[in-house]
């Protein structure tokens, strides 16, 4: 593609690697395009929905005039797969922090798990994790958390359209979930453990779809660089 193609607008499907932030992924792509395609340093580029560093999967990146489509893409339903670990919680609700409390699991059976699964389908109230990028009093929540500050976090409405448990092998439960914009899967893990009269945290997460866009059609950034943006002559 030519510089004009990227400036006129492209929707790029990237499979974000583990431990990369979404910001790092966008920057990596931006500087590759500047260096190899000859795009100006101030050309527009952005992503349509953050993925945590400990998550992998579909990241939609828009360039040029298509950055105007980002709000539309962000509003689309998302699909994720991953793993809950039952019997322990962490302050971040995932593996970013260490387990801080353990809970009994002996009472948990398939019938209880199924009751809890069904209770999360539809519109639910969800509290975002304290380790998140939402702003409160001018600071990101994770900044408050790392400073040891207690802040009040408001619940928000979100919708779980589909919630399937694909493997139950306690203490692990694998899942597939389709949800609305703004859903925190880490909070879903925490709340799922609570509803089991136990505790839980997220140990793996992969975003597989955004609307009709599928991670099967996405490219790793390294492959994208090699295949789609060869060095200019």
């Amino acid at each position: 593609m030519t510089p004009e193609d990227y400036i006129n607008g492209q929707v790029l499907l990237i499979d974000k690697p583990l431990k990369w932030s979404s910001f790092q992924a966008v920057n990596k792509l931006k500087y590759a395009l500047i260096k190899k395609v000859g795009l100006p340093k101030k050309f527009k580029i952005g992503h349509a929905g953050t993925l945590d560093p400990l998550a992998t999967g579909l990241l939609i990146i828009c360039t040029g005039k298509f950055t105007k489509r980002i709000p539309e893409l962000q509003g689309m339903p998302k699909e994720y797969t991953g793993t809950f670990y039952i019997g322990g919680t962490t302050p971040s609700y995932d593996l970013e922090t260490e387990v801080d409390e353990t809970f009994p699991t002996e009472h948990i059976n398939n019938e209880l798990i199924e009751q809890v699964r069904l209770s999360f389908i539809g519109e639910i109230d969800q509290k975002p994790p304290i380790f998140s990028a939402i702003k409160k009093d001018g600071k990101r929540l994770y900044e408050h958390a790392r400073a040891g500050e207690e802040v009040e976090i408001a619940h928000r409405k979100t919708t779980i359209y589909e919630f399937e448990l694909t493997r139950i092998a306690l203490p692990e439960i694998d899942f597939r979930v389709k949800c609305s914009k703004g859903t925190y899967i880490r909070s879903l893990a925490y709340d799922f453990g609570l509803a089991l009269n136990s505790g839980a945290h997220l140990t793996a997460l992969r975003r597989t779809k955004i609307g009709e866009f599928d991670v099967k059609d996405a490219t790793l950034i390294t492959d994208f660089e090699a295949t789609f943006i060869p060095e200019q002559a």
Side-chain angles (χ1 to χ4, degrees), residues 6-7 29-31 33-34 39-45 62-64:
Y6 287 105
I7 290 168
L29 198 57
K30 178 180 180 179
Y31 289 111
L33 289 169
I34 290 169
L39 284 162
K41 289 183 179 179
K42 292 187 177 180
F43 87 97
K44 291 181 178 179
I45 187 169
C62 297
T63 72

mmCIF file of all heavy atoms in Angstrom, residues 6-7 29-31 33-34 39-45 62-64:
data_model
loop_
_atom_site.group_PDB
_atom_site.id
_atom_site.type_symbol
_atom_site.label_atom_id
_atom_site.label_comp_id
_atom_site.label_asym_id
_atom_site.label_seq_id
_atom_site.Cartn_x
_atom_site.Cartn_y
_atom_site.Cartn_z
ATOM 1 N N TYR A 6 -2.756 4.706 3.365
ATOM 2 C CA TYR A 6 -2.824 4.779 4.829
ATOM 3 C C TYR A 6 -3.431 6.094 5.299
ATOM 4 O O TYR A 6 -4.168 6.133 6.294
ATOM 5 C CB TYR A 6 -1.430 4.598 5.435
ATOM 6 C CG TYR A 6 -0.926 3.176 5.351
ATOM 7 C CD1 TYR A 6 0.042 2.822 4.427
ATOM 8 C CD2 TYR A 6 -1.433 2.189 6.196
ATOM 9 C CE1 TYR A 6 0.503 1.514 4.335
ATOM 10 C CE2 TYR A 6 -0.974 0.882 6.114
ATOM 11 C CZ TYR A 6 -0.011 0.547 5.184
ATOM 12 O OH TYR A 6 0.425 -0.754 5.100
ATOM 13 N N ILE A 7 -3.144 7.188 4.576
ATOM 14 C CA ILE A 7 -3.693 8.489 4.954
ATOM 15 C C ILE A 7 -5.190 8.550 4.655
ATOM 16 O O ILE A 7 -5.978 9.091 5.435
ATOM 17 C CB ILE A 7 -2.929 9.624 4.229
ATOM 18 C CG1 ILE A 7 -1.500 9.719 4.807
ATOM 19 C CG2 ILE A 7 -3.654 10.964 4.384
ATOM 20 C CD1 ILE A 7 -0.554 10.583 4.008
ATOM 21 N N LEU A 29 3.677 -0.062 15.277
ATOM 22 C CA LEU A 29 3.160 -0.018 13.911
ATOM 23 C C LEU A 29 3.368 1.361 13.300
ATOM 24 O O LEU A 29 3.772 1.486 12.131
ATOM 25 C CB LEU A 29 1.677 -0.376 13.928
ATOM 26 C CG LEU A 29 1.046 -0.794 12.604
ATOM 27 C CD1 LEU A 29 1.770 -1.980 11.989
ATOM 28 C CD2 LEU A 29 -0.418 -1.146 12.815
ATOM 29 N N LYS A 30 3.130 2.394 14.094
ATOM 30 C CA LYS A 30 3.277 3.768 13.604
ATOM 31 C C LYS A 30 4.696 4.026 13.107
ATOM 32 O O LYS A 30 4.892 4.536 11.987
ATOM 33 C CB LYS A 30 2.932 4.757 14.721
ATOM 34 C CG LYS A 30 3.106 6.211 14.323
ATOM 35 C CD LYS A 30 2.742 7.153 15.467
ATOM 36 C CE LYS A 30 2.919 8.598 15.045
ATOM 37 N NZ LYS A 30 2.552 9.537 16.135
ATOM 38 N N TYR A 31 5.674 3.652 13.925
ATOM 39 C CA TYR A 31 7.050 3.956 13.534
ATOM 40 C C TYR A 31 7.546 3.072 12.404
ATOM 41 O O TYR A 31 8.379 3.477 11.606
ATOM 42 C CB TYR A 31 7.968 3.897 14.760
ATOM 43 C CG TYR A 31 7.710 5.064 15.687
ATOM 44 C CD1 TYR A 31 7.137 4.891 16.937
ATOM 45 C CD2 TYR A 31 7.974 6.377 15.264
ATOM 46 C CE1 TYR A 31 6.857 5.969 17.764
ATOM 47 C CE2 TYR A 31 7.698 7.466 16.086
ATOM 48 C CZ TYR A 31 7.139 7.256 17.321
ATOM 49 O OH TYR A 31 6.856 8.337 18.125
ATOM 50 N N LEU A 33 5.557 2.191 9.912
ATOM 51 C CA LEU A 33 4.963 2.834 8.738
ATOM 52 C C LEU A 33 5.722 4.111 8.362
ATOM 53 O O LEU A 33 5.928 4.400 7.182
ATOM 54 C CB LEU A 33 3.488 3.154 9.003
ATOM 55 C CG LEU A 33 2.546 1.948 9.058
ATOM 56 C CD1 LEU A 33 1.180 2.356 9.600
ATOM 57 C CD2 LEU A 33 2.391 1.308 7.687
ATOM 58 N N ILE A 34 6.135 4.866 9.355
ATOM 59 C CA ILE A 34 6.921 6.083 9.088
ATOM 60 C C ILE A 34 8.240 5.721 8.412
ATOM 61 O O ILE A 34 8.628 6.320 7.400
ATOM 62 C CB ILE A 34 7.179 6.857 10.400
ATOM 63 C CG1 ILE A 34 5.868 7.479 10.909
ATOM 64 C CG2 ILE A 34 8.240 7.932 10.201
ATOM 65 C CD1 ILE A 34 5.974 8.036 12.321
ATOM 66 N N LEU A 39 5.516 7.582 5.647
ATOM 67 C CA LEU A 39 4.423 8.422 6.131
ATOM 68 C C LEU A 39 4.966 9.554 6.993
ATOM 69 O O LEU A 39 5.993 9.392 7.660
ATOM 70 C CB LEU A 39 3.437 7.574 6.943
ATOM 71 C CG LEU A 39 2.505 6.683 6.114
ATOM 72 C CD1 LEU A 39 1.896 5.596 6.973
ATOM 73 C CD2 LEU A 39 1.413 7.512 5.457
ATOM 74 N N PRO A 40 4.278 10.705 7.008
ATOM 75 C CA PRO A 40 4.729 11.813 7.863
ATOM 76 C C PRO A 40 4.604 11.432 9.343
ATOM 77 O O PRO A 40 3.747 10.637 9.716
ATOM 78 C CB PRO A 40 3.777 12.955 7.507
ATOM 79 C CG PRO A 40 2.575 12.289 6.930
ATOM 80 C CD PRO A 40 3.061 11.052 6.245
ATOM 81 N N LYS A 41 5.449 12.026 10.173
ATOM 82 C CA LYS A 41 5.475 11.671 11.592
ATOM 83 C C LYS A 41 4.160 11.974 12.306
ATOM 84 O O LYS A 41 3.852 11.355 13.322
ATOM 85 C CB LYS A 41 6.630 12.397 12.294
ATOM 86 C CG LYS A 41 7.997 11.868 11.903
ATOM 87 C CD LYS A 41 9.108 12.551 12.674
ATOM 88 C CE LYS A 41 10.475 11.977 12.283
ATOM 89 N NZ LYS A 41 11.572 12.643 13.019
ATOM 90 N N LYS A 42 3.385 12.907 11.793
ATOM 91 C CA LYS A 42 2.155 13.298 12.472
ATOM 92 C C LYS A 42 0.900 12.668 11.861
ATOM 93 O O LYS A 42 -0.200 13.143 12.116
ATOM 94 C CB LYS A 42 2.029 14.826 12.487
ATOM 95 C CG LYS A 42 3.074 15.505 13.380
ATOM 96 C CD LYS A 42 2.818 16.992 13.512
ATOM 97 C CE LYS A 42 3.819 17.641 14.457
ATOM 98 N NZ LYS A 42 3.591 19.104 14.594
ATOM 99 N N PHE A 43 1.071 11.601 11.084
ATOM 100 C CA PHE A 43 -0.136 10.995 10.505
ATOM 101 C C PHE A 43 -0.968 10.349 11.607
ATOM 102 O O PHE A 43 -0.466 9.928 12.640
ATOM 103 C CB PHE A 43 0.240 9.997 9.400
ATOM 104 C CG PHE A 43 0.520 8.593 9.856
ATOM 105 C CD1 PHE A 43 -0.469 7.620 9.801
ATOM 106 C CD2 PHE A 43 1.771 8.240 10.335
ATOM 107 C CE1 PHE A 43 -0.221 6.328 10.215
ATOM 108 C CE2 PHE A 43 2.033 6.946 10.745
ATOM 109 C CZ PHE A 43 1.033 5.983 10.689
ATOM 110 N N LYS A 44 -2.283 10.284 11.378
ATOM 111 C CA LYS A 44 -3.200 9.815 12.414
ATOM 112 C C LYS A 44 -3.242 8.289 12.466
ATOM 113 O O LYS A 44 -3.348 7.631 11.425
ATOM 114 C CB LYS A 44 -4.603 10.354 12.160
ATOM 115 C CG LYS A 44 -4.735 11.853 12.356
ATOM 116 C CD LYS A 44 -6.168 12.303 12.104
ATOM 117 C CE LYS A 44 -6.336 13.795 12.340
ATOM 118 N NZ LYS A 44 -7.717 14.232 12.082
ATOM 119 N N ILE A 45 -3.199 7.765 13.686
ATOM 120 C CA ILE A 45 -3.305 6.325 13.901
ATOM 121 C C ILE A 45 -3.803 6.096 15.330
ATOM 122 O O ILE A 45 -3.454 6.845 16.249
ATOM 123 C CB ILE A 45 -1.947 5.611 13.664
ATOM 124 C CG1 ILE A 45 -2.108 4.087 13.727
ATOM 125 C CG2 ILE A 45 -0.873 6.108 14.612
ATOM 126 C CD1 ILE A 45 -0.882 3.316 13.243
ATOM 127 N N CYS A 62 -6.749 1.811 13.375
ATOM 128 C CA CYS A 62 -7.217 2.629 12.251
ATOM 129 C C CYS A 62 -6.174 3.682 11.899
ATOM 130 O O CYS A 62 -5.531 4.244 12.796
ATOM 131 C CB CYS A 62 -8.527 3.322 12.613
ATOM 132 S SG CYS A 62 -9.888 2.190 12.948
ATOM 133 N N THR A 63 -6.030 3.954 10.616
ATOM 134 C CA THR A 63 -5.079 4.975 10.173
ATOM 135 C C THR A 63 -5.815 6.073 9.413
ATOM 136 O O THR A 63 -6.923 5.867 8.899
ATOM 137 C CB THR A 63 -3.995 4.386 9.243
ATOM 138 O OG1 THR A 63 -4.590 4.064 7.966
ATOM 139 C CG2 THR A 63 -3.373 3.136 9.842
ATOM 140 N N GLY A 64 -5.173 7.238 9.358
ATOM 141 C CA GLY A 64 -5.657 8.343 8.546
ATOM 142 C C GLY A 64 -7.096 8.713 8.820
ATOM 143 O O GLY A 64 -7.534 8.829 9.966
#
